[in-house]
Amino acid sequence: MHRVAVFASGRGSNFLALQQAVDSGALAGHQVVLLVCDRPEALVVQHAENAGVPVFAFQPKDFRDKAEFEHELLQQLEQVQAEWVVLAGYMRLVGPTLLEVWEGRMINLHPSLLPAFPGKDAIGQAWRAKVSETGVTVHFVDSGMDTGAVIAQERVPILADDTESTLAERIHSVEHRLLPEVLRTLTSSNPQRLA
Ligand code: GRF
């Protein structure tokens, strides 16, 4: 069984998509063993509770600094024996404490064709830039903002009759399909190769 932890900060539609892929058998052989959330009031926490997934929700301000809360996250990940960490809307840069242990086994989902439009509100950035296409990227996490090695990308055209919200909907539906697909590919390949 591949043991996956998800980090998220908000709505949690990608958390739900992963959990549904596990439940439907599309992501057979995987288990979501932990949700880590840095905003205890976020909707994603309720999704995890409803799905019976253990939650570690914390307030960064209750810790001295990032190193201190990341030490706690290391312990939480160890306790559930996680093998992979998926950042699905985790709105923080990962620091050296986590990266030292998890680099190569930690992936991030981003709603643009990186390196275009890194950072916050990537869909709005693409919309305002009036580009003809944008997309979705899944990449390994490194110390930069959305800079790690790309694993998979999918294009999403911007249509003449799109609004920002219809575009966002199409991007999210690509995310919901692509993220479980990427995870399946990663866990079925030789982990040594990824180290
Ligand atoms: C997604 O668009 C993801 O690409 C980005 O944050 C959003 C999270 O959405 N990093 P949700 O919380 O999974 O609904």
Side-chain angles (χ1 to χ4, degrees), residues 27-93:
L27 204 49
H30 293 68
Q31 192 182 348
V32 181
V33 292
L34 181 66
L35 171 74
V36 167
C37 183
D38 60 339
R39 284 182 52 228
E41 74 285 6
L43 189 58
V44 68
V45 170
Q46 291 169 38
H47 291 323
E49 285 171 359
N50 293 341
V53 171
V55 174
F56 180 70
F58 68 103
Q59 298 270 18
K61 66 175 168 51
D62 293 341
F63 293 82
R64 219 173 19 228
D65 53 22
K66 180 179 288 202
E68 194 181 71
F69 73 68
E70 288 198 342
H71 271 295
E72 175 63 36
L73 299 187
L74 282 179
Q75 283 174 17
Q76 295 287 331
L77 290 169
E78 195 177 315
Q79 261 173 36
V80 296
Q81 298 181 308
E83 294 163 50
W84 288 90
V85 172
V86 174
L87 308 189
Y90 181 64
M91 301 302 285
R92 281 175 193 280
L93 273 183

Side-chain angles (χ1 to χ4, degrees), residues 8-16 44 87-91 108-112 123 136-137 171-172 175-176:
S9 305
R11 190 173 66 134
S13 68
N14 285 284
F15 172 88
L16 273 183
V44 68
L87 308 189
Y90 181 64
M91 301 302 285
N108 180 46
L109 174 68
H110 185 78
S112 76
I123 299 173
V136 174
T137 301
I171 288 177
H172 292 312
E175 291 186 316
H176 298 161

Side-chain angles (χ1 to χ4, degrees), residues 170-185:
R170 286 209 316 290
I171 288 177
H172 292 312
S173 63
V174 169
E175 291 186 316
H176 298 161
R177 177 174 42 75
L178 190 63
L179 184 59
E181 274 174 25
V182 167
L183 200 53
R184 192 169 48 234
T185 308

Side-chain angles (χ1 to χ4, degrees), residues 150-168:
V150 170
I151 305 166
Q153 288 188 307
E154 192 166 317
R155 292 171 191 283
V156 175
I158 300 184
L159 308 175
D161 60 353
D162 261 335
T163 62
E164 189 175 340
S165 79
T166 59
L167 173 64

